[in-house]
Amino acid sequence: MLVMENSSKQPQQVPIEAIQPPLTGREGLDLLKASLAKVTGIQLVDFLQTPEGREAMKKKKIVLAGPPRSGKSCLRQGLKDVIKQISNGEVYPYVLTACPDGEGAWFQESMNNDLTLTAKLKAEYKSKFSPEFAQRIADSVKNLSLPLSFVDIGGVISPENMKICEHANGAIFLCGETAVKGGAPVEWKKFFTELGIPIVAEVYSDYKGADDIVDGIEADGVFRGSVHHLERGENLTDRKAIQALAQFIINLGK
């Protein structure tokens, strides 16, 4: 804590983080990678070399995960739009909303068209986790049969989400500055490791940045990049990191 004085000579305490510059996309991505590396999880490159891994990629069930306010809903819509574009309609990215927060697969497109109606619908659809909800979504994940499906579990590590994810076979992890600094990636890596799910992509959410960073596919088979300013209502199809991630997901396992 830093102590400062105001004009009346009364000392004020200002949090150190309040005067520190935000992490750059490069700094955030490097910190995210280092944090996740602290936990030995399922190695994607090894997973893809097994018969089980190759079979799993015929029906990709990829969890979109990360702490709250990372930009997951925006990334979800951006990936969906870009995948439809670059695949010329040959790959349809189905989205299963696995969180009862009222933000279904329709949410982002509706935000772009009618903010008032979207807010109203979200309030109407929002509910709480229940055993029945978790079981219903878990059964849906198990029965997904399309070539590519995304499972949006929201931002909480919980028994309900563990049950929902047990039949998924990959995860995209998105994390912003506050959560990275707070150690959240370690807990999420433990979550997926316990489930036997490989993280296929590590993405830093650089909200205050102006450019994307694409490290691409590294030796462990994982895609890494930083995407800037994930904001609701914006067209994200021109973001380089989302474009590269979309292509990676389409080719994953081939």
Side-chain angles (χ1 to χ4, degrees):
M1 196 75 73
L2 179 67
V3 178
M4 301 181 66
E5 293 186 358
N6 60 17
S7 57
S8 61
K9 303 300 181 181
Q10 294 297 318
Q12 292 180 319
Q13 290 186 328
V14 179
I16 291 294
E17 58 270 21
I19 62 173
Q20 290 179 336
L23 294 177
T24 65
R26 178 76 271 160
E27 292 169 338
L29 182 55
D30 289 345
L31 184 58
L32 174 60
K33 180 179 177 179
S35 183
L36 288 168
K38 293 177 181 178
V39 179
T40 301
I42 311 301
Q43 290 292 311
L44 178 60
V45 67
D46 296 333
F47 176 75
L48 294 177
Q49 291 176 354
T50 66
E52 296 80 8
R54 290 191 293 270
E55 184 64 26
M57 290 301 103
K58 293 179 181 178
K59 297 177 182 177
K60 299 168 191 169
K61 305 176 184 181
I62 300 177
V63 177
L64 290 174
R69 296 175 295 280
S70 297
K72 292 184 297 296
S73 295
C74 297
L75 180 63
R76 176 183 73 186
Q77 188 64 41
L79 280 174
K80 183 176 180 179
D81 291 341
V82 173
I83 288 172
K84 289 193 295 184
Q85 284 182 2
I86 64 180
S87 70
N88 294 317
E90 294 182 8
V91 178
Y92 181 79
Y94 177 75
V95 175
L96 176 63
T97 303
C99 179
D101 61 0
E103 295 186 13
W106 51 270
F107 181 77
Q108 191 65 34
E109 290 186 49
S110 298
M111 280 280 296
N112 296 341
N113 294 312
D114 193 325
L115 293 175
T116 302
L117 177 60
T118 302
K120 179 176 180 295
L121 292 174
K122 177 179 177 177
E124 292 176 354
Y125 294 155
K126 187 172 183 177
S127 60
K128 294 182 178 180
F129 265 120
S130 66
E132 294 78 15
F133 176 88
Q135 185 62 58
R136 177 172 63 83
I137 299 299
D139 290 341
S140 296
V141 175
K142 181 180 180 179
N143 295 323
L144 288 172
S145 59
L146 293 171
L148 174 58
S149 300
F150 292 116
V151 183
D152 184 354
I153 64 170
V156 179
I157 295 174
S158 66
E160 292 86 358
N161 273 336
M162 182 161 282
K163 183 175 186 62
I164 286 169
C165 293
E166 62 185 355
H167 293 291
N169 50 39
I172 295 172
F173 183 69
L174 178 71
C175 194
E177 178 173 356
T178 300
V180 167
K181 289 181 176 178
V186 170
E187 299 307 314
W188 280 98
K189 184 73 171 287
K190 291 178 180 177
F191 174 79
F192 287 116
T193 299
E194 186 172 347
L195 286 164
I197 296 174
I199 292 180
V200 303
E202 301 173 4
V203 184
Y204 179 66
S205 181
D206 182 18
Y207 184 77
K208 296 181 180 179
D211 297 292
D212 283 9
I213 295 173
V214 179
D215 282 355
I217 307 168
E218 300 194 2
D220 57 2
V222 175
F223 175 94
R224 293 183 174 89
S226 172
V227 60
H228 74 284
H229 198 62
L230 290 172
E231 181 61 59
R232 288 171 174 167
E234 290 194 5
N235 182 352
L236 302 172
T237 57
D238 63 345
R239 303 297 168 85
K240 294 179 180 179
I242 294 179
Q243 292 172 349
L245 177 57
Q247 190 65 64
F248 167 75
I249 293 298
I250 290 174
N251 294 331
L252 186 60
K254 292 184 179 179

PDB file of all heavy atoms in Angstrom, residues 179-199:
ATOM      1  N   ALA A 179      -7.087 -11.920 -12.953  1.00  0.00           N
ATOM      2  CA  ALA A 179      -7.120 -13.347 -12.622  1.00  0.00           C
ATOM      3  C   ALA A 179      -5.753 -13.997 -12.783  1.00  0.00           C
ATOM      4  O   ALA A 179      -5.375 -14.869 -12.003  1.00  0.00           O
ATOM      5  CB  ALA A 179      -8.146 -14.060 -13.498  1.00  0.00           C
ATOM      6  N   VAL A 180      -5.003 -13.584 -13.795  1.00  0.00           N
ATOM      7  CA  VAL A 180      -3.653 -14.120 -13.986  1.00  0.00           C
ATOM      8  C   VAL A 180      -2.771 -13.775 -12.797  1.00  0.00           C
ATOM      9  O   VAL A 180      -2.049 -14.622 -12.259  1.00  0.00           O
ATOM     10  CB  VAL A 180      -3.028 -13.590 -15.294  1.00  0.00           C
ATOM     11  CG1 VAL A 180      -1.535 -13.869 -15.333  1.00  0.00           C
ATOM     12  CG2 VAL A 180      -3.684 -14.230 -16.501  1.00  0.00           C
ATOM     13  N   LYS A 181      -2.817 -12.514 -12.388  1.00  0.00           N
ATOM     14  CA  LYS A 181      -2.015 -12.091 -11.242  1.00  0.00           C
ATOM     15  C   LYS A 181      -2.464 -12.771  -9.949  1.00  0.00           C
ATOM     16  O   LYS A 181      -1.658 -12.966  -9.029  1.00  0.00           O
ATOM     17  CB  LYS A 181      -2.103 -10.574 -11.083  1.00  0.00           C
ATOM     18  CG  LYS A 181      -1.364  -9.782 -12.150  1.00  0.00           C
ATOM     19  CD  LYS A 181      -1.498  -8.284 -11.896  1.00  0.00           C
ATOM     20  CE  LYS A 181      -0.685  -7.470 -12.880  1.00  0.00           C
ATOM     21  NZ  LYS A 181      -0.854  -6.006 -12.649  1.00  0.00           N
ATOM     22  N   GLY A 182      -3.735 -13.135  -9.881  1.00  0.00           N
ATOM     23  CA  GLY A 182      -4.266 -13.754  -8.670  1.00  0.00           C
ATOM     24  C   GLY A 182      -4.077 -15.253  -8.593  1.00  0.00           C
ATOM     25  O   GLY A 182      -4.487 -15.878  -7.607  1.00  0.00           O
ATOM     26  N   GLY A 183      -3.482 -15.855  -9.623  1.00  0.00           N
ATOM     27  CA  GLY A 183      -3.202 -17.285  -9.585  1.00  0.00           C
ATOM     28  C   GLY A 183      -4.324 -18.184 -10.061  1.00  0.00           C
ATOM     29  O   GLY A 183      -4.257 -19.407  -9.887  1.00  0.00           O
ATOM     30  N   ALA A 184      -5.353 -17.620 -10.690  1.00  0.00           N
ATOM     31  CA  ALA A 184      -6.489 -18.427 -11.145  1.00  0.00           C
ATOM     32  C   ALA A 184      -6.108 -19.531 -12.133  1.00  0.00           C
ATOM     33  O   ALA A 184      -6.692 -20.620 -12.087  1.00  0.00           O
ATOM     34  CB  ALA A 184      -7.555 -17.518 -11.765  1.00  0.00           C
ATOM     35  N   PRO A 185      -5.151 -19.312 -13.056  1.00  0.00           N
ATOM     36  CA  PRO A 185      -4.827 -20.369 -14.016  1.00  0.00           C
ATOM     37  C   PRO A 185      -4.431 -21.693 -13.370  1.00  0.00           C
ATOM     38  O   PRO A 185      -4.757 -22.768 -13.885  1.00  0.00           O
ATOM     39  CB  PRO A 185      -3.660 -19.764 -14.811  1.00  0.00           C
ATOM     40  CG  PRO A 185      -3.888 -18.298 -14.735  1.00  0.00           C
ATOM     41  CD  PRO A 185      -4.409 -18.067 -13.352  1.00  0.00           C
ATOM     42  N   VAL A 186      -3.743 -21.649 -12.243  1.00  0.00           N
ATOM     43  CA  VAL A 186      -3.317 -22.880 -11.568  1.00  0.00           C
ATOM     44  C   VAL A 186      -4.528 -23.711 -11.162  1.00  0.00           C
ATOM     45  O   VAL A 186      -4.556 -24.936 -11.371  1.00  0.00           O
ATOM     46  CB  VAL A 186      -2.456 -22.543 -10.333  1.00  0.00           C
ATOM     47  CG1 VAL A 186      -2.208 -23.791  -9.489  1.00  0.00           C
ATOM     48  CG2 VAL A 186      -1.132 -21.936 -10.762  1.00  0.00           C
ATOM     49  N   GLU A 187      -5.538 -23.054 -10.588  1.00  0.00           N
ATOM     50  CA  GLU A 187      -6.728 -23.783 -10.138  1.00  0.00           C
ATOM     51  C   GLU A 187      -7.498 -24.374 -11.316  1.00  0.00           C
ATOM     52  O   GLU A 187      -8.022 -25.493 -11.235  1.00  0.00           O
ATOM     53  CB  GLU A 187      -7.630 -22.870  -9.306  1.00  0.00           C
ATOM     54  CG  GLU A 187      -6.953 -22.347  -8.045  1.00  0.00           C
ATOM     55  CD  GLU A 187      -6.383 -23.468  -7.197  1.00  0.00           C
ATOM     56  OE1 GLU A 187      -7.091 -24.473  -6.981  1.00  0.00           O
ATOM     57  OE2 GLU A 187      -5.224 -23.344  -6.745  1.00  0.00           O
ATOM     58  N   TRP A 188      -7.575 -23.638 -12.417  1.00  0.00           N
ATOM     59  CA  TRP A 188      -8.262 -24.165 -13.599  1.00  0.00           C
ATOM     60  C   TRP A 188      -7.483 -25.325 -14.217  1.00  0.00           C
ATOM     61  O   TRP A 188      -8.082 -26.298 -14.688  1.00  0.00           O
ATOM     62  CB  TRP A 188      -8.475 -23.044 -14.611  1.00  0.00           C
ATOM     63  CG  TRP A 188      -9.641 -22.174 -14.285  1.00  0.00           C
ATOM     64  CD1 TRP A 188      -9.629 -20.973 -13.646  1.00  0.00           C
ATOM     65  CD2 TRP A 188     -11.019 -22.440 -14.573  1.00  0.00           C
ATOM     66  NE1 TRP A 188     -10.908 -20.472 -13.518  1.00  0.00           N
ATOM     67  CE2 TRP A 188     -11.784 -21.352 -14.082  1.00  0.00           C
ATOM     68  CE3 TRP A 188     -11.690 -23.489 -15.197  1.00  0.00           C
ATOM     69  CZ2 TRP A 188     -13.169 -21.287 -14.195  1.00  0.00           C
ATOM     70  CZ3 TRP A 188     -13.077 -23.427 -15.315  1.00  0.00           C
ATOM     71  CH2 TRP A 188     -13.794 -22.338 -14.818  1.00  0.00           C
ATOM     72  N   LYS A 189      -6.159 -25.254 -14.223  1.00  0.00           N
ATOM     73  CA  LYS A 189      -5.363 -26.360 -14.757  1.00  0.00           C
ATOM     74  C   LYS A 189      -5.581 -27.624 -13.916  1.00  0.00           C
ATOM     75  O   LYS A 189      -5.708 -28.729 -14.449  1.00  0.00           O
ATOM     76  CB  LYS A 189      -3.886 -25.963 -14.776  1.00  0.00           C
ATOM     77  CG  LYS A 189      -2.954 -27.010 -15.395  1.00  0.00           C
ATOM     78  CD  LYS A 189      -3.096 -27.072 -16.902  1.00  0.00           C
ATOM     79  CE  LYS A 189      -2.017 -27.962 -17.531  1.00  0.00           C
ATOM     80  NZ  LYS A 189      -0.684 -27.316 -17.519  1.00  0.00           N
ATOM     81  N   LYS A 190      -5.655 -27.462 -12.610  1.00  0.00           N
ATOM     82  CA  LYS A 190      -5.935 -28.595 -11.730  1.00  0.00           C
ATOM     83  C   LYS A 190      -7.312 -29.185 -12.036  1.00  0.00           C
ATOM     84  O   LYS A 190      -7.498 -30.413 -12.031  1.00  0.00           O
ATOM     85  CB  LYS A 190      -5.867 -28.165 -10.265  1.00  0.00           C
ATOM     86  CG  LYS A 190      -4.477 -27.820  -9.770  1.00  0.00           C
ATOM     87  CD  LYS A 190      -4.527 -27.348  -8.322  1.00  0.00           C
ATOM     88  CE  LYS A 190      -3.143 -26.983  -7.789  1.00  0.00           C
ATOM     89  NZ  LYS A 190      -3.206 -26.460  -6.392  1.00  0.00           N
ATOM     90  N   PHE A 191      -8.266 -28.310 -12.277  1.00  0.00           N
ATOM     91  CA  PHE A 191      -9.638 -28.734 -12.599  1.00  0.00           C
ATOM     92  C   PHE A 191      -9.655 -29.632 -13.841  1.00  0.00           C
ATOM     93  O   PHE A 191     -10.217 -30.738 -13.823  1.00  0.00           O
ATOM     94  CB  PHE A 191     -10.493 -27.485 -12.815  1.00  0.00           C
ATOM     95  CG  PHE A 191     -11.900 -27.730 -13.302  1.00  0.00           C
ATOM     96  CD1 PHE A 191     -12.897 -28.129 -12.428  1.00  0.00           C
ATOM     97  CD2 PHE A 191     -12.224 -27.535 -14.642  1.00  0.00           C
ATOM     98  CE1 PHE A 191     -14.195 -28.333 -12.874  1.00  0.00           C
ATOM     99  CE2 PHE A 191     -13.518 -27.742 -15.096  1.00  0.00           C
ATOM    100  CZ  PHE A 191     -14.506 -28.141 -14.208  1.00  0.00           C
ATOM    101  N   PHE A 192      -9.010 -29.182 -14.905  1.00  0.00           N
ATOM    102  CA  PHE A 192      -9.019 -29.967 -16.140  1.00  0.00           C
ATOM    103  C   PHE A 192      -8.131 -31.200 -16.041  1.00  0.00           C
ATOM    104  O   PHE A 192      -8.440 -32.245 -16.636  1.00  0.00           O
ATOM    105  CB  PHE A 192      -8.602 -29.093 -17.323  1.00  0.00           C
ATOM    106  CG  PHE A 192      -9.656 -28.117 -17.730  1.00  0.00           C
ATOM    107  CD1 PHE A 192      -9.451 -26.748 -17.633  1.00  0.00           C
ATOM    108  CD2 PHE A 192     -10.878 -28.562 -18.202  1.00  0.00           C
ATOM    109  CE1 PHE A 192     -10.444 -25.849 -17.995  1.00  0.00           C
ATOM    110  CE2 PHE A 192     -11.885 -27.667 -18.569  1.00  0.00           C
ATOM    111  CZ  PHE A 192     -11.660 -26.310 -18.459  1.00  0.00           C
ATOM    112  N   THR A 193      -7.047 -31.114 -15.283  1.00  0.00           N
ATOM    113  CA  THR A 193      -6.177 -32.272 -15.095  1.00  0.00           C
ATOM    114  C   THR A 193      -6.918 -33.392 -14.382  1.00  0.00           C
ATOM    115  O   THR A 193      -6.805 -34.574 -14.759  1.00  0.00           O
ATOM    116  CB  THR A 193      -4.921 -31.874 -14.298  1.00  0.00           C
ATOM    117  OG1 THR A 193      -4.196 -30.891 -15.034  1.00  0.00           O
ATOM    118  CG2 THR A 193      -4.029 -33.083 -14.053  1.00  0.00           C
ATOM    119  N   GLU A 194      -7.696 -33.038 -13.364  1.00  0.00           N
ATOM    120  CA  GLU A 194      -8.470 -34.043 -12.638  1.00  0.00           C
ATOM    121  C   GLU A 194      -9.483 -34.731 -13.545  1.00  0.00           C
ATOM    122  O   GLU A 194      -9.770 -35.927 -13.385  1.00  0.00           O
ATOM    123  CB  GLU A 194      -9.185 -33.394 -11.453  1.00  0.00           C
ATOM    124  CG  GLU A 194      -9.890 -34.382 -10.546  1.00  0.00           C
ATOM    125  CD  GLU A 194     -10.439 -33.746  -9.279  1.00  0.00           C
ATOM    126  OE1 GLU A 194     -10.059 -32.594  -8.984  1.00  0.00           O
ATOM    127  OE2 GLU A 194     -11.228 -34.408  -8.588  1.00  0.00           O
ATOM    128  N   LEU A 195      -9.984 -33.994 -14.520  1.00  0.00           N
ATOM    129  CA  LEU A 195     -10.959 -34.556 -15.456  1.00  0.00           C
ATOM    130  C   LEU A 195     -10.297 -35.299 -16.618  1.00  0.00           C
ATOM    131  O   LEU A 195     -10.991 -35.956 -17.404  1.00  0.00           O
ATOM    132  CB  LEU A 195     -11.834 -33.433 -16.023  1.00  0.00           C
ATOM    133  CG  LEU A 195     -12.884 -32.855 -15.072  1.00  0.00           C
ATOM    134  CD1 LEU A 195     -13.406 -31.526 -15.605  1.00  0.00           C
ATOM    135  CD2 LEU A 195     -14.034 -33.841 -14.894  1.00  0.00           C
ATOM    136  N   GLY A 196      -8.978 -35.178 -16.748  1.00  0.00           N
ATOM    137  CA  GLY A 196      -8.290 -35.820 -17.859  1.00  0.00           C
ATOM    138  C   GLY A 196      -8.497 -35.115 -19.181  1.00  0.00           C
ATOM    139  O   GLY A 196      -8.419 -35.729 -20.246  1.00  0.00           O
ATOM    140  N   ILE A 197      -8.752 -33.795 -19.122  1.00  0.00           N
ATOM    141  CA  ILE A 197      -9.021 -33.009 -20.327  1.00  0.00           C
ATOM    142  C   ILE A 197      -7.794 -32.158 -20.655  1.00  0.00           C
ATOM    143  O   ILE A 197      -7.332 -31.388 -19.813  1.00  0.00           O
ATOM    144  CB  ILE A 197     -10.243 -32.100 -20.123  1.00  0.00           C
ATOM    145  CG1 ILE A 197     -11.504 -32.938 -19.899  1.00  0.00           C
ATOM    146  CG2 ILE A 197     -10.435 -31.156 -21.313  1.00  0.00           C
ATOM    147  CD1 ILE A 197     -12.721 -32.108 -19.541  1.00  0.00           C
ATOM    148  N   PRO A 198      -7.263 -32.251 -21.867  1.00  0.00           N
ATOM    149  CA  PRO A 198      -6.123 -31.403 -22.232  1.00  0.00           C
ATOM    150  C   PRO A 198      -6.568 -29.980 -22.565  1.00  0.00           C
ATOM    151  O   PRO A 198      -7.614 -29.779 -23.194  1.00  0.00           O
ATOM    152  CB  PRO A 198      -5.554 -32.092 -23.468  1.00  0.00           C
ATOM    153  CG  PRO A 198      -6.736 -32.753 -24.098  1.00  0.00           C
ATOM    154  CD  PRO A 198      -7.626 -33.182 -22.958  1.00  0.00           C
ATOM    155  N   ILE A 199      -5.791 -29.001 -22.121  1.00  0.00           N
ATOM    156  CA  ILE A 199      -6.008 -27.627 -22.567  1.00  0.00           C
ATOM    157  C   ILE A 199      -5.405 -27.502 -23.960  1.00  0.00           C
ATOM    158  O   ILE A 199      -4.220 -27.746 -24.147  1.00  0.00           O
ATOM    159  CB  ILE A 199      -5.368 -26.620 -21.597  1.00  0.00           C
ATOM    160  CG1 ILE A 199      -6.102 -26.641 -20.249  1.00  0.00           C
ATOM    161  CG2 ILE A 199      -5.402 -25.200 -22.176  1.00  0.00           C
ATOM    162  CD1 ILE A 199      -5.547 -25.679 -19.214  1.00  0.00           C
TER     163      ILE A 199
END
